Amino acid sequence: MRQAQVTRNTLETQVAVEINLDGRGEVMFDTGLPFLDHMLDQIARHGMIDLKIKAKGDLHIDAHHTVEDIGITLGQALVQAIGNKKGIRRYGHAYVPLDEALSRVVIDLSGRPGMAFHVEFARARIGEFDVDLIHEFFQGLVNHAMITLHIDNLSGNNAHHQAETIFKAFGRALRVALEADPRAADLIPSTKGSL
Ligand SMILES: [Mn+2]
């Protein structure tokens, strides 16, 4: 089973992540940030990943450290759970619409961090949640999961819809990239022989 448990403690946050990549989308979140929980839920359900995340951060300052550190810890858990990438597809992409909003996410489990993030949110906040933190979350995740990630919001004028399509498309794209490729079951999907 491709599973991992990672705990990351700093003076700003304490984050614990449990992940099962071959799960059913079962979740348990306790981050103190209901909107982020709603988005993490999209990753798990659309990625068919079981995910438990418990975070206690310095929310009296703002949500920045907590959101970024959840991204970092989730990235660490992902890279650990993925392992040597033998027999998986490596690349995945998904387009996800929600009413007027449409986003595309493309993933390469490349072993190198890289992100292109093209999103212009329709407003600065979703409820209490600062939309700038969505970039911080994915940057933290990308840096530690060591993946290449392209996120494009292609349309949308409702920031909640825009965000939701991004997280759903990320889950869907990740699911494809992590899937078994039966014709290449014992192969590492790279001419370098390692990823
Ligand atoms: Mn929603």
mmCIF file of all heavy atoms in Angstrom, residues 91-130:
data_model
loop_
_atom_site.group_PDB
_atom_site.id
_atom_site.type_symbol
_atom_site.label_atom_id
_atom_site.label_comp_id
_atom_site.label_asym_id
_atom_site.label_seq_id
_atom_site.Cartn_x
_atom_site.Cartn_y
_atom_site.Cartn_z
ATOM 1 N N TYR A 91 2.506 11.184 -15.604
ATOM 2 C CA TYR A 91 1.838 12.418 -16.035
ATOM 3 C C TYR A 91 0.335 12.288 -15.817
ATOM 4 O O TYR A 91 -0.233 11.197 -16.000
ATOM 5 C CB TYR A 91 2.062 12.675 -17.529
ATOM 6 C CG TYR A 91 3.500 12.901 -17.895
ATOM 7 C CD1 TYR A 91 4.272 11.852 -18.381
ATOM 8 C CD2 TYR A 91 4.088 14.158 -17.741
ATOM 9 C CE1 TYR A 91 5.606 12.054 -18.723
ATOM 10 C CE2 TYR A 91 5.421 14.355 -18.085
ATOM 11 C CZ TYR A 91 6.174 13.305 -18.575
ATOM 12 O OH TYR A 91 7.487 13.502 -18.916
ATOM 13 N N GLY A 92 -0.279 13.422 -15.479
ATOM 14 C CA GLY A 92 -1.732 13.427 -15.387
ATOM 15 C C GLY A 92 -2.245 14.825 -15.647
ATOM 16 O O GLY A 92 -1.556 15.809 -15.359
ATOM 17 N N HIS A 93 -3.425 14.914 -16.242
ATOM 18 C CA HIS A 93 -4.035 16.238 -16.388
ATOM 19 C C HIS A 93 -5.541 16.122 -16.271
ATOM 20 O O HIS A 93 -6.104 15.034 -16.458
ATOM 21 C CB HIS A 93 -3.644 16.895 -17.717
ATOM 22 C CG HIS A 93 -4.275 16.272 -18.906
ATOM 23 N ND1 HIS A 93 -3.695 15.245 -19.598
ATOM 24 C CD2 HIS A 93 -5.443 16.516 -19.513
ATOM 25 C CE1 HIS A 93 -4.486 14.896 -20.604
ATOM 26 N NE2 HIS A 93 -5.551 15.643 -20.567
ATOM 27 N N ALA A 94 -6.161 17.219 -15.942
ATOM 28 C CA ALA A 94 -7.621 17.228 -15.830
ATOM 29 C C ALA A 94 -8.141 18.635 -16.072
ATOM 30 O O ALA A 94 -7.507 19.626 -15.681
ATOM 31 C CB ALA A 94 -8.053 16.750 -14.449
ATOM 32 N N TYR A 95 -9.273 18.689 -16.739
ATOM 33 C CA TYR A 95 -10.053 19.924 -16.834
ATOM 34 C C TYR A 95 -11.278 19.720 -15.952
ATOM 35 O O TYR A 95 -11.949 18.682 -16.077
ATOM 36 C CB TYR A 95 -10.556 20.150 -18.254
ATOM 37 C CG TYR A 95 -9.541 20.595 -19.264
ATOM 38 C CD1 TYR A 95 -8.701 19.679 -19.881
ATOM 39 C CD2 TYR A 95 -9.451 21.927 -19.632
ATOM 40 C CE1 TYR A 95 -7.779 20.081 -20.838
ATOM 41 C CE2 TYR A 95 -8.539 22.345 -20.591
ATOM 42 C CZ TYR A 95 -7.709 21.420 -21.192
ATOM 43 O OH TYR A 95 -6.810 21.811 -22.144
ATOM 44 N N VAL A 96 -11.556 20.681 -15.093
ATOM 45 C CA VAL A 96 -12.765 20.582 -14.264
ATOM 46 C C VAL A 96 -13.552 21.890 -14.334
ATOM 47 O O VAL A 96 -13.003 22.966 -14.065
ATOM 48 C CB VAL A 96 -12.399 20.237 -12.792
ATOM 49 C CG1 VAL A 96 -13.629 20.372 -11.901
ATOM 50 C CG2 VAL A 96 -11.849 18.820 -12.697
ATOM 51 N N PRO A 97 -14.826 21.809 -14.702
ATOM 52 C CA PRO A 97 -15.695 22.985 -14.685
ATOM 53 C C PRO A 97 -16.557 23.010 -13.425
ATOM 54 O O PRO A 97 -16.775 21.983 -12.787
ATOM 55 C CB PRO A 97 -16.592 22.744 -15.902
ATOM 56 C CG PRO A 97 -16.767 21.248 -15.924
ATOM 57 C CD PRO A 97 -15.509 20.651 -15.314
ATOM 58 N N LEU A 98 -17.012 24.167 -13.075
ATOM 59 C CA LEU A 98 -18.071 24.313 -12.070
ATOM 60 C C LEU A 98 -18.850 25.562 -12.467
ATOM 61 O O LEU A 98 -18.323 26.679 -12.350
ATOM 62 C CB LEU A 98 -17.476 24.454 -10.661
ATOM 63 C CG LEU A 98 -18.459 24.785 -9.538
ATOM 64 C CD1 LEU A 98 -19.601 23.786 -9.457
ATOM 65 C CD2 LEU A 98 -17.733 24.838 -8.198
ATOM 66 N N ASP A 99 -20.025 25.348 -12.994
ATOM 67 C CA ASP A 99 -20.807 26.456 -13.547
ATOM 68 C C ASP A 99 -19.943 27.273 -14.512
ATOM 69 O O ASP A 99 -19.418 26.725 -15.459
ATOM 70 C CB ASP A 99 -21.412 27.320 -12.428
ATOM 71 C CG ASP A 99 -22.397 26.525 -11.576
ATOM 72 O OD1 ASP A 99 -22.862 25.458 -12.037
ATOM 73 O OD2 ASP A 99 -22.682 26.944 -10.452
ATOM 74 N N GLU A 100 -19.729 28.558 -14.228
ATOM 75 C CA GLU A 100 -19.003 29.433 -15.172
ATOM 76 C C GLU A 100 -17.480 29.243 -15.111
ATOM 77 O O GLU A 100 -16.762 29.708 -15.998
ATOM 78 C CB GLU A 100 -19.356 30.909 -14.899
ATOM 79 C CG GLU A 100 -18.462 31.637 -13.892
ATOM 80 C CD GLU A 100 -18.437 31.044 -12.492
ATOM 81 O OE1 GLU A 100 -19.354 30.288 -12.125
ATOM 82 O OE2 GLU A 100 -17.470 31.341 -11.749
ATOM 83 N N ALA A 101 -17.005 28.565 -14.074
ATOM 84 C CA ALA A 101 -15.553 28.436 -13.865
ATOM 85 C C ALA A 101 -15.005 27.170 -14.524
ATOM 86 O O ALA A 101 -15.676 26.142 -14.562
ATOM 87 C CB ALA A 101 -15.238 28.419 -12.376
ATOM 88 N N LEU A 102 -13.765 27.282 -15.026
ATOM 89 C CA LEU A 102 -13.087 26.134 -15.649
ATOM 90 C C LEU A 102 -11.595 26.235 -15.343
ATOM 91 O O LEU A 102 -10.991 27.289 -15.550
ATOM 92 C CB LEU A 102 -13.292 26.154 -17.166
ATOM 93 C CG LEU A 102 -12.515 25.103 -17.973
ATOM 94 C CD1 LEU A 102 -12.990 23.695 -17.648
ATOM 95 C CD2 LEU A 102 -12.651 25.379 -19.474
ATOM 96 N N SER A 103 -11.018 25.142 -14.838
ATOM 97 C CA SER A 103 -9.575 25.117 -14.589
ATOM 98 C C SER A 103 -8.951 23.868 -15.190
ATOM 99 O O SER A 103 -9.608 22.832 -15.308
ATOM 100 C CB SER A 103 -9.274 25.137 -13.083
ATOM 101 O OG SER A 103 -9.695 26.361 -12.520
ATOM 102 N N ARG A 104 -7.678 24.014 -15.537
ATOM 103 C CA ARG A 104 -6.886 22.891 -16.050
ATOM 104 C C ARG A 104 -5.671 22.726 -15.152
ATOM 105 O O ARG A 104 -4.987 23.718 -14.839
ATOM 106 C CB ARG A 104 -6.424 23.182 -17.473
ATOM 107 C CG ARG A 104 -5.517 22.083 -18.055
ATOM 108 C CD ARG A 104 -4.997 22.458 -19.438
ATOM 109 N NE ARG A 104 -4.154 23.643 -19.349
ATOM 110 C CZ ARG A 104 -4.118 24.616 -20.282
ATOM 111 N NH1 ARG A 104 -4.855 24.535 -21.372
ATOM 112 N NH2 ARG A 104 -3.333 25.656 -20.116
ATOM 113 N N VAL A 105 -5.397 21.483 -14.754
ATOM 114 C CA VAL A 105 -4.200 21.190 -13.963
ATOM 115 C C VAL A 105 -3.441 20.062 -14.643
ATOM 116 O O VAL A 105 -4.032 19.046 -15.027
ATOM 117 C CB VAL A 105 -4.557 20.807 -12.507
ATOM 118 C CG1 VAL A 105 -3.321 20.338 -11.746
ATOM 119 C CG2 VAL A 105 -5.203 21.986 -11.788
ATOM 120 N N VAL A 106 -2.136 20.261 -14.815
ATOM 121 C CA VAL A 106 -1.262 19.261 -15.444
ATOM 122 C C VAL A 106 -0.134 18.956 -14.464
ATOM 123 O O VAL A 106 0.513 19.872 -13.949
ATOM 124 C CB VAL A 106 -0.687 19.786 -16.777
ATOM 125 C CG1 VAL A 106 0.146 18.703 -17.450
ATOM 126 C CG2 VAL A 106 -1.804 20.263 -17.704
ATOM 127 N N ILE A 107 0.080 17.665 -14.234
ATOM 128 C CA ILE A 107 1.082 17.219 -13.257
ATOM 129 C C ILE A 107 2.102 16.314 -13.931
ATOM 130 O O ILE A 107 1.741 15.472 -14.757
ATOM 131 C CB ILE A 107 0.419 16.410 -12.118
ATOM 132 C CG1 ILE A 107 -0.512 17.299 -11.296
ATOM 133 C CG2 ILE A 107 1.455 15.752 -11.209
ATOM 134 C CD1 ILE A 107 -1.221 16.552 -10.185
ATOM 135 N N ASP A 108 3.357 16.493 -13.547
ATOM 136 C CA ASP A 108 4.424 15.540 -13.871
ATOM 137 C C ASP A 108 5.102 15.183 -12.559
ATOM 138 O O ASP A 108 5.629 16.072 -11.873
ATOM 139 C CB ASP A 108 5.414 16.203 -14.848
ATOM 140 C CG ASP A 108 6.626 15.324 -15.144
ATOM 141 O OD1 ASP A 108 6.630 14.137 -14.737
ATOM 142 O OD2 ASP A 108 7.561 15.847 -15.786
ATOM 143 N N LEU A 109 5.102 13.914 -12.215
ATOM 144 C CA LEU A 109 5.791 13.473 -10.987
ATOM 145 C C LEU A 109 7.277 13.367 -11.331
ATOM 146 O O LEU A 109 7.868 12.296 -11.416
ATOM 147 C CB LEU A 109 5.234 12.123 -10.513
ATOM 148 C CG LEU A 109 3.719 12.092 -10.270
ATOM 149 C CD1 LEU A 109 3.276 10.689 -9.864
ATOM 150 C CD2 LEU A 109 3.308 13.103 -9.217
ATOM 151 N N SER A 110 7.872 14.529 -11.565
ATOM 152 C CA SER A 110 9.169 14.632 -12.234
ATOM 153 C C SER A 110 10.361 14.430 -11.302
ATOM 154 O O SER A 110 11.459 14.179 -11.773
ATOM 155 C CB SER A 110 9.287 16.028 -12.853
ATOM 156 O OG SER A 110 9.121 17.015 -11.835
ATOM 157 N N GLY A 111 10.153 14.590 -9.990
ATOM 158 C CA GLY A 111 11.286 14.581 -9.072
ATOM 159 C C GLY A 111 11.964 15.934 -8.956
ATOM 160 O O GLY A 111 12.983 16.074 -8.272
ATOM 161 N N ARG A 112 11.396 16.941 -9.630
ATOM 162 C CA ARG A 112 11.947 18.306 -9.567
ATOM 163 C C ARG A 112 10.804 19.269 -9.282
ATOM 164 O O ARG A 112 9.768 19.205 -9.939
ATOM 165 C CB ARG A 112 12.547 18.722 -10.916
ATOM 166 C CG ARG A 112 13.762 17.960 -11.342
ATOM 167 C CD ARG A 112 14.342 18.569 -12.621
ATOM 168 N NE ARG A 112 13.355 18.627 -13.700
ATOM 169 C CZ ARG A 112 13.069 17.618 -14.495
ATOM 170 N NH1 ARG A 112 13.678 16.458 -14.345
ATOM 171 N NH2 ARG A 112 12.178 17.748 -15.457
ATOM 172 N N PRO A 113 10.998 20.198 -8.343
ATOM 173 C CA PRO A 113 9.928 21.157 -8.078
ATOM 174 C C PRO A 113 9.846 22.225 -9.164
ATOM 175 O O PRO A 113 10.867 22.781 -9.578
ATOM 176 C CB PRO A 113 10.337 21.784 -6.738
ATOM 177 C CG PRO A 113 11.796 21.572 -6.619
ATOM 178 C CD PRO A 113 12.145 20.357 -7.438
ATOM 179 N N GLY A 114 8.632 22.481 -9.645
ATOM 180 C CA GLY A 114 8.425 23.562 -10.605
ATOM 181 C C GLY A 114 6.933 23.855 -10.695
ATOM 182 O O GLY A 114 6.125 22.928 -10.761
ATOM 183 N N MET A 115 6.584 25.132 -10.686
ATOM 184 C CA MET A 115 5.151 25.457 -10.753
ATOM 185 C C MET A 115 4.915 26.645 -11.662
ATOM 186 O O MET A 115 5.657 27.624 -11.635
ATOM 187 C CB MET A 115 4.600 25.763 -9.359
ATOM 188 C CG MET A 115 3.098 26.086 -9.405
ATOM 189 S SD MET A 115 2.257 25.997 -7.812
ATOM 190 C CE MET A 115 2.697 27.590 -7.116
ATOM 191 N N ALA A 116 3.871 26.543 -12.485
ATOM 192 C CA ALA A 116 3.354 27.683 -13.241
ATOM 193 C C ALA A 116 1.910 27.863 -12.790
ATOM 194 O O ALA A 116 1.102 26.941 -12.910
ATOM 195 C CB ALA A 116 3.427 27.414 -14.734
ATOM 196 N N PHE A 117 1.610 29.011 -12.233
ATOM 197 C CA PHE A 117 0.307 29.249 -11.584
ATOM 198 C C PHE A 117 -0.324 30.457 -12.250
ATOM 199 O O PHE A 117 0.133 31.583 -12.059
ATOM 200 C CB PHE A 117 0.555 29.508 -10.094
ATOM 201 C CG PHE A 117 -0.681 29.616 -9.242
ATOM 202 C CD1 PHE A 117 -1.249 28.489 -8.659
ATOM 203 C CD2 PHE A 117 -1.257 30.858 -8.981
ATOM 204 C CE1 PHE A 117 -2.367 28.592 -7.838
ATOM 205 C CE2 PHE A 117 -2.375 30.963 -8.164
ATOM 206 C CZ PHE A 117 -2.927 29.831 -7.590
ATOM 207 N N HIS A 118 -1.322 30.213 -13.074
ATOM 208 C CA HIS A 118 -1.981 31.307 -13.800
ATOM 209 C C HIS A 118 -3.442 31.389 -13.379
ATOM 210 O O HIS A 118 -4.306 30.731 -13.959
ATOM 211 C CB HIS A 118 -1.858 31.101 -15.309
ATOM 212 C CG HIS A 118 -0.435 31.086 -15.776
ATOM 213 N ND1 HIS A 118 0.117 30.030 -16.462
ATOM 214 C CD2 HIS A 118 0.561 31.992 -15.617
ATOM 215 C CE1 HIS A 118 1.402 30.294 -16.705
ATOM 216 N NE2 HIS A 118 1.692 31.470 -16.200
ATOM 217 N N VAL A 119 -3.656 32.150 -12.350
ATOM 218 C CA VAL A 119 -4.999 32.280 -11.784
ATOM 219 C C VAL A 119 -5.211 33.731 -11.384
ATOM 220 O O VAL A 119 -4.393 34.293 -10.645
ATOM 221 C CB VAL A 119 -5.177 31.401 -10.521
ATOM 222 C CG1 VAL A 119 -6.614 31.492 -10.015
ATOM 223 C CG2 VAL A 119 -4.791 29.955 -10.792
ATOM 224 N N GLU A 120 -6.272 34.322 -11.906
ATOM 225 C CA GLU A 120 -6.665 35.653 -11.425
ATOM 226 C C GLU A 120 -8.007 35.517 -10.752
ATOM 227 O O GLU A 120 -9.034 35.321 -11.401
ATOM 228 C CB GLU A 120 -6.747 36.637 -12.593
ATOM 229 C CG GLU A 120 -5.365 37.114 -13.000
ATOM 230 C CD GLU A 120 -5.415 38.197 -14.065
ATOM 231 O OE1 GLU A 120 -6.303 39.068 -13.990
ATOM 232 O OE2 GLU A 120 -4.574 38.129 -14.969
ATOM 233 N N PHE A 121 -7.964 35.588 -9.431
ATOM 234 C CA PHE A 121 -9.205 35.406 -8.682
ATOM 235 C C PHE A 121 -10.108 36.637 -8.822
ATOM 236 O O PHE A 121 -9.623 37.769 -8.884
ATOM 237 C CB PHE A 121 -8.897 35.139 -7.210
ATOM 238 C CG PHE A 121 -8.430 33.738 -6.958
ATOM 239 C CD1 PHE A 121 -7.085 33.473 -6.720
ATOM 240 C CD2 PHE A 121 -9.338 32.680 -6.984
ATOM 241 C CE1 PHE A 121 -6.652 32.179 -6.501
ATOM 242 C CE2 PHE A 121 -8.909 31.377 -6.761
ATOM 243 C CZ PHE A 121 -7.567 31.124 -6.519
ATOM 244 N N ALA A 122 -11.408 36.365 -8.831
ATOM 245 C CA ALA A 122 -12.401 37.424 -9.011
ATOM 246 C C ALA A 122 -12.480 38.350 -7.796
ATOM 247 O O ALA A 122 -12.929 39.481 -7.904
ATOM 248 C CB ALA A 122 -13.777 36.813 -9.288
ATOM 249 N N ARG A 123 -12.082 37.840 -6.622
ATOM 250 C CA ARG A 123 -12.024 38.710 -5.442
ATOM 251 C C ARG A 123 -10.904 38.240 -4.527
ATOM 252 O O ARG A 123 -10.379 37.134 -4.696
ATOM 253 C CB ARG A 123 -13.380 38.787 -4.724
ATOM 254 C CG ARG A 123 -13.955 37.477 -4.288
ATOM 255 C CD ARG A 123 -15.468 37.575 -3.987
ATOM 256 N NE ARG A 123 -16.115 36.297 -4.265
ATOM 257 C CZ ARG A 123 -16.434 35.394 -3.325
ATOM 258 N NH1 ARG A 123 -16.222 35.649 -2.060
ATOM 259 N NH2 ARG A 123 -16.973 34.247 -3.666
ATOM 260 N N ALA A 124 -10.537 39.077 -3.571
ATOM 261 C CA ALA A 124 -9.360 38.839 -2.734
ATOM 262 C C ALA A 124 -9.617 37.847 -1.613
ATOM 263 O O ALA A 124 -8.682 37.212 -1.111
ATOM 264 C CB ALA A 124 -8.866 40.158 -2.139
ATOM 265 N N ARG A 125 -10.878 37.710 -1.222
ATOM 266 C CA ARG A 125 -11.191 36.811 -0.100
ATOM 267 C C ARG A 125 -12.381 35.942 -0.431
ATOM 268 O O ARG A 125 -13.297 36.365 -1.131
ATOM 269 C CB ARG A 125 -11.534 37.629 1.161
ATOM 270 C CG ARG A 125 -10.315 38.286 1.731
ATOM 271 C CD ARG A 125 -10.603 39.034 3.026
ATOM 272 N NE ARG A 125 -9.322 39.354 3.604
ATOM 273 C CZ ARG A 125 -8.650 38.567 4.436
ATOM 274 N NH1 ARG A 125 -9.186 37.442 4.864
ATOM 275 N NH2 ARG A 125 -7.456 38.905 4.877
ATOM 276 N N ILE A 126 -12.332 34.707 0.081
ATOM 277 C CA ILE A 126 -13.503 33.827 0.023
ATOM 278 C C ILE A 126 -13.915 33.680 1.477
ATOM 279 O O ILE A 126 -13.246 32.988 2.243
ATOM 280 C CB ILE A 126 -13.158 32.470 -0.608
ATOM 281 C CG1 ILE A 126 -12.616 32.673 -2.031
ATOM 282 C CG2 ILE A 126 -14.380 31.562 -0.606
ATOM 283 C CD1 ILE A 126 -11.980 31.432 -2.655
ATOM 284 N N GLY A 127 -14.971 34.368 1.877
ATOM 285 C CA GLY A 127 -15.282 34.460 3.306
ATOM 286 C C GLY A 127 -14.110 35.120 4.005
ATOM 287 O O GLY A 127 -13.680 36.204 3.626
ATOM 288 N N GLU A 128 -13.542 34.394 4.974
ATOM 289 C CA GLU A 128 -12.375 34.901 5.710
ATOM 290 C C GLU A 128 -11.060 34.538 5.016
ATOM 291 O O GLU A 128 -10.001 34.979 5.450
ATOM 292 C CB GLU A 128 -12.341 34.260 7.106
ATOM 293 C CG GLU A 128 -13.538 34.531 7.968
ATOM 294 C CD GLU A 128 -13.441 35.912 8.583
ATOM 295 O OE1 GLU A 128 -12.642 36.084 9.514
ATOM 296 O OE2 GLU A 128 -14.156 36.815 8.089
ATOM 297 N N PHE A 129 -11.142 33.684 4.005
ATOM 298 C CA PHE A 129 -9.932 33.067 3.437
ATOM 299 C C PHE A 129 -9.317 33.948 2.355
ATOM 300 O O PHE A 129 -9.973 34.296 1.370
ATOM 301 C CB PHE A 129 -10.289 31.690 2.865
ATOM 302 C CG PHE A 129 -9.097 30.837 2.555
ATOM 303 C CD1 PHE A 129 -8.521 30.048 3.541
ATOM 304 C CD2 PHE A 129 -8.537 30.822 1.277
ATOM 305 C CE1 PHE A 129 -7.409 29.261 3.263
ATOM 306 C CE2 PHE A 129 -7.426 30.040 0.995
ATOM 307 C CZ PHE A 129 -6.869 29.256 1.992
ATOM 308 N N ASP A 130 -8.028 34.280 2.538
ATOM 309 C CA ASP A 130 -7.280 35.115 1.597
ATOM 310 C C ASP A 130 -6.863 34.255 0.392
ATOM 311 O O ASP A 130 -6.124 33.281 0.560
ATOM 312 C CB ASP A 130 -6.054 35.634 2.372
ATOM 313 C CG ASP A 130 -5.122 36.449 1.501
ATOM 314 O OD1 ASP A 130 -5.346 36.541 0.278
ATOM 315 O OD2 ASP A 130 -4.147 36.971 2.061
#
